[in-house]
PDB file of all heavy atoms in Angstrom:
ATOM      1  N   ASN A   1      16.550   2.333 -55.760  1.00 85.00           N
ATOM      2  CA  ASN A   1      17.731   1.971 -55.000  1.00 85.00           C
ATOM      3  C   ASN A   1      17.491   1.681 -53.524  1.00 85.00           C
ATOM      4  O   ASN A   1      18.390   1.328 -52.799  1.00 85.00           O
ATOM      5  CB  ASN A   1      18.780   3.128 -55.113  1.00 85.00           C
ATOM      6  CG  ASN A   1      19.272   3.305 -56.531  1.00 85.00           C
ATOM      7  OD1 ASN A   1      19.464   2.340 -57.243  1.00 85.00           O
ATOM      8  ND2 ASN A   1      19.500   4.541 -56.920  1.00 85.00           N
ATOM      9  N   VAL A   2      16.237   1.840 -53.098  1.00 84.00           N
ATOM     10  CA  VAL A   2      15.956   1.612 -51.662  1.00 84.00           C
ATOM     11  C   VAL A   2      15.519   0.187 -51.430  1.00 84.00           C
ATOM     12  O   VAL A   2      14.532  -0.313 -51.975  1.00 84.00           O
ATOM     13  CB  VAL A   2      14.730   2.541 -51.232  1.00 84.00           C
ATOM     14  CG1 VAL A   2      14.411   2.306 -49.786  1.00 84.00           C
ATOM     15  CG2 VAL A   2      15.092   4.013 -51.464  1.00 84.00           C
ATOM     16  N   ALA A   3      16.366  -0.519 -50.698  1.00 85.00           N
ATOM     17  CA  ALA A   3      16.095  -1.931 -50.371  1.00 85.00           C
ATOM     18  C   ALA A   3      14.806  -2.065 -49.552  1.00 85.00           C
ATOM     19  O   ALA A   3      14.544  -1.193 -48.707  1.00 85.00           O
ATOM     20  CB  ALA A   3      17.267  -2.557 -49.642  1.00 85.00           C
ATOM     21  N   ILE A   4      14.024  -3.071 -49.799  1.00 90.00           N
ATOM     22  CA  ILE A   4      12.736  -3.266 -49.119  1.00 90.00           C
ATOM     23  C   ILE A   4      12.820  -4.432 -48.148  1.00 90.00           C
ATOM     24  O   ILE A   4      13.356  -5.494 -48.429  1.00 90.00           O
ATOM     25  CB  ILE A   4      11.613  -3.567 -50.122  1.00 90.00           C
ATOM     26  CG1 ILE A   4      11.593  -2.445 -51.204  1.00 90.00           C
ATOM     27  CG2 ILE A   4      10.271  -3.711 -49.475  1.00 90.00           C
ATOM     28  CD1 ILE A   4      11.260  -1.101 -50.690  1.00 90.00           C
ATOM     29  N   ASP A   5      12.295  -4.222 -46.952  1.00 91.00           N
ATOM     30  CA  ASP A   5      12.223  -5.261 -45.934  1.00 91.00           C
ATOM     31  C   ASP A   5      11.422  -6.456 -46.454  1.00 91.00           C
ATOM     32  O   ASP A   5      10.300  -6.258 -46.973  1.00 91.00           O
ATOM     33  CB  ASP A   5      11.532  -4.682 -44.671  1.00 91.00           C
ATOM     34  CG  ASP A   5      11.552  -5.623 -43.468  1.00 91.00           C
ATOM     35  OD1 ASP A   5      11.538  -6.872 -43.688  1.00 91.00           O
ATOM     36  OD2 ASP A   5      11.601  -5.159 -42.336  1.00 91.00           O
ATOM     37  N   PRO A   6      11.996  -7.636 -46.339  1.00 90.00           N
ATOM     38  CA  PRO A   6      11.294  -8.844 -46.865  1.00 90.00           C
ATOM     39  C   PRO A   6       9.911  -9.057 -46.274  1.00 90.00           C
ATOM     40  O   PRO A   6       9.048  -9.721 -46.884  1.00 90.00           O
ATOM     41  CB  PRO A   6      12.208 -10.006 -46.465  1.00 90.00           C
ATOM     42  CG  PRO A   6      13.583  -9.348 -46.405  1.00 90.00           C
ATOM     43  CD  PRO A   6      13.321  -7.984 -45.852  1.00 90.00           C
ATOM     44  N   LYS A   7       9.650  -8.444 -45.086  1.00 91.00           N
ATOM     45  CA  LYS A   7       8.339  -8.572 -44.447  1.00 91.00           C
ATOM     46  C   LYS A   7       7.341  -7.530 -44.888  1.00 91.00           C
ATOM     47  O   LYS A   7       6.179  -7.525 -44.483  1.00 91.00           O
ATOM     48  CB  LYS A   7       8.478  -8.523 -42.921  1.00 91.00           C
ATOM     49  CG  LYS A   7       9.362  -9.614 -42.323  1.00 91.00           C
ATOM     50  CD  LYS A   7       9.493  -9.500 -40.845  1.00 91.00           C
ATOM     51  CE  LYS A   7      10.330 -10.610 -40.237  1.00 91.00           C
ATOM     52  NZ  LYS A   7      10.482 -10.477 -38.784  1.00 91.00           N
ATOM     53  N   SER A   8       7.755  -6.611 -45.740  1.00 94.00           N
ATOM     54  CA  SER A   8       6.904  -5.515 -46.206  1.00 94.00           C
ATOM     55  C   SER A   8       5.770  -6.027 -47.079  1.00 94.00           C
ATOM     56  O   SER A   8       5.899  -7.033 -47.762  1.00 94.00           O
ATOM     57  CB  SER A   8       7.743  -4.503 -46.991  1.00 94.00           C
ATOM     58  OG  SER A   8       6.899  -3.570 -47.628  1.00 94.00           O
ATOM     59  N   THR A   9       4.672  -5.313 -47.066  1.00 95.00           N
ATOM     60  CA  THR A   9       3.493  -5.715 -47.881  1.00 95.00           C
ATOM     61  C   THR A   9       3.819  -5.600 -49.375  1.00 95.00           C
ATOM     62  O   THR A   9       3.245  -6.363 -50.171  1.00 95.00           O
ATOM     63  CB  THR A   9       2.288  -4.849 -47.571  1.00 95.00           C
ATOM     64  OG1 THR A   9       2.567  -3.471 -47.792  1.00 95.00           O
ATOM     65  CG2 THR A   9       1.828  -5.058 -46.134  1.00 95.00           C
ATOM     66  N   VAL A  10       4.709  -4.681 -49.747  1.00 96.00           N
ATOM     67  CA  VAL A  10       5.032  -4.543 -51.172  1.00 96.00           C
ATOM     68  C   VAL A  10       5.791  -5.749 -51.692  1.00 96.00           C
ATOM     69  O   VAL A  10       5.707  -6.109 -52.872  1.00 96.00           O
ATOM     70  CB  VAL A  10       5.812  -3.228 -51.499  1.00 96.00           C
ATOM     71  CG1 VAL A  10       4.916  -2.052 -51.214  1.00 96.00           C
ATOM     72  CG2 VAL A  10       7.102  -3.186 -50.697  1.00 96.00           C
ATOM     73  N   VAL A  11       6.538  -6.403 -50.791  1.00 96.00           N
ATOM     74  CA  VAL A  11       7.258  -7.661 -51.163  1.00 96.00           C
ATOM     75  C   VAL A  11       6.222  -8.746 -51.384  1.00 96.00           C
ATOM     76  O   VAL A  11       6.280  -9.515 -52.354  1.00 96.00           O
ATOM     77  CB  VAL A  11       8.275  -8.026 -50.116  1.00 96.00           C
ATOM     78  CG1 VAL A  11       8.846  -9.451 -50.417  1.00 96.00           C
ATOM     79  CG2 VAL A  11       9.421  -7.067 -50.060  1.00 96.00           C
ATOM     80  N   LYS A  12       5.240  -8.775 -50.527  1.00 97.00           N
ATOM     81  CA  LYS A  12       4.176  -9.792 -50.682  1.00 97.00           C
ATOM     82  C   LYS A  12       3.381  -9.537 -51.969  1.00 97.00           C
ATOM     83  O   LYS A  12       3.018 -10.458 -52.684  1.00 97.00           O
ATOM     84  CB  LYS A  12       3.208  -9.783 -49.470  1.00 97.00           C
ATOM     85  CG  LYS A  12       2.187 -10.918 -49.518  1.00 97.00           C
ATOM     86  CD  LYS A  12       1.291 -10.891 -48.314  1.00 97.00           C
ATOM     87  CE  LYS A  12       0.354 -12.100 -48.290  1.00 97.00           C
ATOM     88  NZ  LYS A  12      -0.465 -12.209 -49.526  1.00 97.00           N
ATOM     89  N   ALA A  13       3.178  -8.243 -52.258  1.00 97.00           N
ATOM     90  CA  ALA A  13       2.483  -7.866 -53.473  1.00 97.00           C
ATOM     91  C   ALA A  13       3.258  -8.299 -54.709  1.00 97.00           C
ATOM     92  O   ALA A  13       2.712  -8.847 -55.679  1.00 97.00           O
ATOM     93  CB  ALA A  13       2.233  -6.370 -53.512  1.00 97.00           C
ATOM     94  N   ALA A  14       4.556  -8.095 -54.646  1.00 97.00           N
ATOM     95  CA  ALA A  14       5.432  -8.548 -55.763  1.00 97.00           C
ATOM     96  C   ALA A  14       5.392 -10.060 -55.924  1.00 97.00           C
ATOM     97  O   ALA A  14       5.294 -10.583 -57.041  1.00 97.00           O
ATOM     98  CB  ALA A  14       6.842  -8.094 -55.481  1.00 97.00           C
ATOM     99  N   ARG A  15       5.407 -10.736 -54.785  1.00 96.00           N
ATOM    100  CA  ARG A  15       5.372 -12.225 -54.789  1.00 96.00           C
ATOM    101  C   ARG A  15       4.061 -12.727 -55.417  1.00 96.00           C
ATOM    102  O   ARG A  15       4.058 -13.640 -56.229  1.00 96.00           O
ATOM    103  CB  ARG A  15       5.531 -12.727 -53.363  1.00 96.00           C
ATOM    104  CG  ARG A  15       5.787 -14.212 -53.242  1.00 96.00           C
ATOM    105  CD  ARG A  15       6.021 -14.586 -51.793  1.00 96.00           C
ATOM    106  NE  ARG A  15       7.199 -13.860 -51.264  1.00 96.00           N
ATOM    107  CZ  ARG A  15       7.195 -13.290 -50.103  1.00 96.00           C
ATOM    108  NH1 ARG A  15       6.101 -13.283 -49.324  1.00 96.00           N
ATOM    109  NH2 ARG A  15       8.280 -12.644 -49.645  1.00 96.00           N
ATOM    110  N   ASP A  16       2.968 -12.065 -55.056  1.00 97.00           N
ATOM    111  CA  ASP A  16       1.629 -12.495 -55.579  1.00 97.00           C
ATOM    112  C   ASP A  16       1.548 -12.191 -57.100  1.00 97.00           C
ATOM    113  O   ASP A  16       0.965 -13.015 -57.818  1.00 97.00           O
ATOM    114  CB  ASP A  16       0.512 -11.749 -54.822  1.00 97.00           C
ATOM    115  CG  ASP A  16       0.265 -12.320 -53.440  1.00 97.00           C
ATOM    116  OD1 ASP A  16       0.893 -13.329 -53.116  1.00 97.00           O
ATOM    117  OD2 ASP A  16      -0.537 -11.761 -52.681  1.00 97.00           O
ATOM    118  N   ALA A  17       2.130 -11.048 -57.534  1.00 97.00           N
ATOM    119  CA  ALA A  17       2.076 -10.741 -58.912  1.00 97.00           C
ATOM    120  C   ALA A  17       2.893 -11.761 -59.708  1.00 97.00           C
ATOM    121  O   ALA A  17       2.517 -12.250 -60.769  1.00 97.00           O
ATOM    122  CB  ALA A  17       2.589  -9.353 -59.181  1.00 97.00           C
ATOM    123  N   LEU A  18       4.082 -12.102 -59.214  1.00 96.00           N
ATOM    124  CA  LEU A  18       4.945 -13.065 -59.855  1.00 96.00           C
ATOM    125  C   LEU A  18       4.328 -14.468 -59.884  1.00 96.00           C
ATOM    126  O   LEU A  18       4.581 -15.267 -60.768  1.00 96.00           O
ATOM    127  CB  LEU A  18       6.307 -13.124 -59.130  1.00 96.00           C
ATOM    128  CG  LEU A  18       7.242 -11.924 -59.346  1.00 96.00           C
ATOM    129  CD1 LEU A  18       8.352 -11.963 -58.311  1.00 96.00           C
ATOM    130  CD2 LEU A  18       7.795 -11.951 -60.763  1.00 96.00           C
ATOM    131  N   ALA A  19       3.450 -14.753 -58.885  1.00 96.00           N
ATOM    132  CA  ALA A  19       2.768 -16.003 -58.843  1.00 96.00           C
ATOM    133  C   ALA A  19       1.589 -16.102 -59.806  1.00 96.00           C
ATOM    134  O   ALA A  19       1.013 -17.194 -60.001  1.00 96.00           O
ATOM    135  CB  ALA A  19       2.306 -16.286 -57.403  1.00 96.00           C
ATOM    136  N   GLY A  20       1.230 -14.960 -60.406  1.00 96.00           N
ATOM    137  CA  GLY A  20       0.207 -15.002 -61.427  1.00 96.00           C
ATOM    138  C   GLY A  20      -1.067 -14.203 -61.139  1.00 96.00           C
ATOM    139  O   GLY A  20      -1.971 -14.169 -62.003  1.00 96.00           O
ATOM    140  N   TRP A  21      -1.157 -13.585 -59.975  1.00 97.00           N
ATOM    141  CA  TRP A  21      -2.365 -12.783 -59.692  1.00 97.00           C
ATOM    142  C   TRP A  21      -2.333 -11.504 -60.468  1.00 97.00           C
ATOM    143  O   TRP A  21      -1.397 -10.707 -60.317  1.00 97.00           O
ATOM    144  CB  TRP A  21      -2.493 -12.525 -58.186  1.00 97.00           C
ATOM    145  CG  TRP A  21      -3.720 -11.767 -57.818  1.00 97.00           C
ATOM    146  CD1 TRP A  21      -4.888 -11.644 -58.566  1.00 97.00           C
ATOM    147  CD2 TRP A  21      -4.003 -11.032 -56.626  1.00 97.00           C
ATOM    148  NE1 TRP A  21      -5.808 -10.879 -57.909  1.00 97.00           N
ATOM    149  CE2 TRP A  21      -5.284 -10.481 -56.713  1.00 97.00           C
ATOM    150  CE3 TRP A  21      -3.214 -10.764 -55.502  1.00 97.00           C
ATOM    151  CZ2 TRP A  21      -5.854  -9.683 -55.689  1.00 97.00           C
ATOM    152  CZ3 TRP A  21      -3.775  -9.970 -54.466  1.00 97.00           C
ATOM    153  CH2 TRP A  21      -5.072  -9.463 -54.580  1.00 97.00           C
ATOM    154  N   ASP A  22      -3.308 -11.263 -61.293  1.00 97.00           N
ATOM    155  CA  ASP A  22      -3.422 -10.030 -62.103  1.00 97.00           C
ATOM    156  C   ASP A  22      -4.790  -9.393 -61.878  1.00 97.00           C
ATOM    157  O   ASP A  22      -5.730  -9.703 -62.640  1.00 97.00           O
ATOM    158  CB  ASP A  22      -3.197 -10.331 -63.585  1.00 97.00           C
ATOM    159  CG  ASP A  22      -3.250  -9.071 -64.425  1.00 97.00           C
ATOM    160  OD1 ASP A  22      -3.375  -7.975 -63.849  1.00 97.00           O
ATOM    161  OD2 ASP A  22      -3.230  -9.213 -65.657  1.00 97.00           O
ATOM    162  N   PRO A  23      -4.912  -8.480 -60.936  1.00 97.00           N
ATOM    163  CA  PRO A  23      -6.193  -7.823 -60.696  1.00 97.00           C
ATOM    164  C   PRO A  23      -6.668  -6.977 -61.904  1.00 97.00           C
ATOM    165  O   PRO A  23      -7.827  -6.627 -61.977  1.00 97.00           O
ATOM    166  CB  PRO A  23      -5.899  -6.923 -59.487  1.00 97.00           C
ATOM    167  CG  PRO A  23      -4.694  -7.509 -58.838  1.00 97.00           C
ATOM    168  CD  PRO A  23      -3.896  -8.068 -59.996  1.00 97.00           C
ATOM    169  N   THR A  24      -5.729  -6.664 -62.833  1.00 97.00           N
ATOM    170  CA  THR A  24      -6.105  -5.791 -63.918  1.00 97.00           C
ATOM    171  C   THR A  24      -6.603  -6.558 -65.137  1.00 97.00           C
ATOM    172  O   THR A  24      -7.078  -5.949 -66.132  1.00 97.00           O
ATOM    173  CB  THR A  24      -4.877  -4.979 -64.397  1.00 97.00           C
ATOM    174  OG1 THR A  24      -3.966  -5.813 -65.136  1.00 97.00           O
ATOM    175  CG2 THR A  24      -4.132  -4.405 -63.208  1.00 97.00           C
ATOM    176  N   ASP A  25      -6.466  -7.860 -65.147  1.00 96.00           N
ATOM    177  CA  ASP A  25      -6.923  -8.694 -66.241  1.00 96.00           C
ATOM    178  C   ASP A  25      -6.260  -8.329 -67.581  1.00 96.00           C
ATOM    179  O   ASP A  25      -6.928  -8.181 -68.601  1.00 96.00           O
ATOM    180  CB  ASP A  25      -8.445  -8.675 -66.376  1.00 96.00           C
ATOM    181  CG  ASP A  25      -9.006  -9.794 -67.304  1.00 96.00           C
ATOM    182  OD1 ASP A  25      -8.293 -10.808 -67.443  1.00 96.00           O
ATOM    183  OD2 ASP A  25     -10.048  -9.558 -67.890  1.00 96.00           O
ATOM    184  N   GLY A  26      -4.942  -8.137 -67.493  1.00 97.00           N
ATOM    185  CA  GLY A  26      -4.179  -7.904 -68.725  1.00 97.00           C
ATOM    186  C   GLY A  26      -3.851  -6.490 -69.124  1.00 97.00           C
ATOM    187  O   GLY A  26      -3.340  -6.238 -70.190  1.00 97.00           O
ATOM    188  N   CYS A  27      -4.165  -5.541 -68.206  1.00 97.00           N
ATOM    189  CA  CYS A  27      -3.887  -4.116 -68.552  1.00 97.00           C
ATOM    190  C   CYS A  27      -2.383  -3.849 -68.667  1.00 97.00           C
ATOM    191  O   CYS A  27      -1.580  -4.547 -68.120  1.00 97.00           O
ATOM    192  CB  CYS A  27      -4.459  -3.215 -67.476  1.00 97.00           C
ATOM    193  SG  CYS A  27      -6.277  -3.107 -67.523  1.00 97.00           S
ATOM    194  N   LEU A  28      -2.066  -2.800 -69.423  1.00 97.00           N
ATOM    195  CA  LEU A  28      -0.640  -2.476 -69.693  1.00 97.00           C
ATOM    196  C   LEU A  28      -0.257  -1.095 -69.106  1.00 97.00           C
ATOM    197  O   LEU A  28       0.922  -0.751 -69.084  1.00 97.00           O
ATOM    198  CB  LEU A  28      -0.372  -2.441 -71.224  1.00 97.00           C
ATOM    199  CG  LEU A  28      -0.537  -3.775 -71.893  1.00 97.00           C
ATOM    200  CD1 LEU A  28      -0.432  -3.583 -73.434  1.00 97.00           C
ATOM    201  CD2 LEU A  28       0.551  -4.750 -71.480  1.00 97.00           C
ATOM    202  N   TYR A  29      -1.261  -0.323 -68.702  1.00 96.00           N
ATOM    203  CA  TYR A  29      -0.953   1.035 -68.211  1.00 96.00           C
ATOM    204  C   TYR A  29      -1.724   1.321 -66.944  1.00 96.00           C
ATOM    205  O   TYR A  29      -2.793   0.768 -66.701  1.00 96.00           O
ATOM    206  CB  TYR A  29      -1.331   2.066 -69.296  1.00 96.00           C
ATOM    207  CG  TYR A  29      -0.671   1.796 -70.615  1.00 96.00           C
ATOM    208  CD1 TYR A  29      -1.370   1.093 -71.663  1.00 96.00           C
ATOM    209  CD2 TYR A  29       0.614   2.223 -70.886  1.00 96.00           C
ATOM    210  CE1 TYR A  29      -0.791   0.858 -72.874  1.00 96.00           C
ATOM    211  CE2 TYR A  29       1.199   1.961 -72.111  1.00 96.00           C
ATOM    212  CZ  TYR A  29       0.477   1.281 -73.102  1.00 96.00           C
ATOM    213  OH  TYR A  29       1.094   1.032 -74.312  1.00 96.00           O
ATOM    214  N   TYR A  30      -1.181   2.267 -66.179  1.00 95.00           N
ATOM    215  CA  TYR A  30      -1.906   2.772 -65.001  1.00 95.00           C
ATOM    216  C   TYR A  30      -1.480   4.212 -64.796  1.00 95.00           C
ATOM    217  O   TYR A  30      -0.389   4.620 -65.224  1.00 95.00           O
ATOM    218  CB  TYR A  30      -1.600   1.956 -63.737  1.00 95.00           C
ATOM    219  CG  TYR A  30      -0.198   2.085 -63.223  1.00 95.00           C
ATOM    220  CD1 TYR A  30       0.139   3.053 -62.262  1.00 95.00           C
ATOM    221  CD2 TYR A  30       0.813   1.256 -63.695  1.00 95.00           C
ATOM    222  CE1 TYR A  30       1.436   3.205 -61.825  1.00 95.00           C
ATOM    223  CE2 TYR A  30       2.118   1.391 -63.240  1.00 95.00           C
ATOM    224  CZ  TYR A  30       2.441   2.347 -62.313  1.00 95.00           C
ATOM    225  OH  TYR A  30       3.727   2.510 -61.881  1.00 95.00           O
ATOM    226  N   TRP A  31      -2.334   4.981 -64.206  1.00 94.00           N
ATOM    227  CA  TRP A  31      -2.030   6.379 -63.946  1.00 94.00           C
ATOM    228  C   TRP A  31      -2.973   6.948 -62.861  1.00 94.00           C
ATOM    229  O   TRP A  31      -4.046   6.377 -62.624  1.00 94.00           O
ATOM    230  CB  TRP A  31      -2.142   7.226 -65.216  1.00 94.00           C
ATOM    231  CG  TRP A  31      -3.527   7.332 -65.820  1.00 94.00           C
ATOM    232  CD1 TRP A  31      -4.415   8.323 -65.649  1.00 94.00           C
ATOM    233  CD2 TRP A  31      -4.186   6.355 -66.703  1.00 94.00           C
ATOM    234  NE1 TRP A  31      -5.561   8.090 -66.389  1.00 94.00           N
ATOM    235  CE2 TRP A  31      -5.419   6.904 -67.046  1.00 94.00           C
ATOM    236  CE3 TRP A  31      -3.753   5.142 -67.204  1.00 94.00           C
ATOM    237  CZ2 TRP A  31      -6.325   6.195 -67.837  1.00 94.00           C
ATOM    238  CZ3 TRP A  31      -4.635   4.447 -68.021  1.00 94.00           C
ATOM    239  CH2 TRP A  31      -5.884   4.987 -68.345  1.00 94.00           C
ATOM    240  N   ASN A  32      -2.559   7.988 -62.226  1.00 92.00           N
ATOM    241  CA  ASN A  32      -3.338   8.679 -61.239  1.00 92.00           C
ATOM    242  C   ASN A  32      -3.978   9.895 -61.954  1.00 92.00           C
ATOM    243  O   ASN A  32      -3.232  10.815 -62.306  1.00 92.00           O
ATOM    244  CB  ASN A  32      -2.473   9.148 -60.046  1.00 92.00           C
ATOM    245  CG  ASN A  32      -3.273   9.802 -58.977  1.00 92.00           C
ATOM    246  OD1 ASN A  32      -4.360  10.362 -59.216  1.00 92.00           O
ATOM    247  ND2 ASN A  32      -2.731   9.812 -57.743  1.00 92.00           N
TER     248      ASN A  32
END
């Protein structure tokens, strides 16, 4: 529910992911 500043790096990250960049090469899960 927390709106993100359009200049934030996470917005750029979202934009890059939507543009097709996939550093995981098709992975479906992540965890710490």
Side-chain angles (χ1 to χ4, degrees):
N1 294 324
V2 179
I4 306 298
D5 187 329
K7 297 180 181 179
S8 170
T9 58
V10 294
V11 172
K12 186 178 185 305
R15 190 176 301 135
D16 284 354
L18 287 166
W21 182 19
D22 180 7
T24 75
D25 193 25
C27 287
L28 296 171
Y29 305 96
Y30 69 92
W31 65 98
N32 183 334

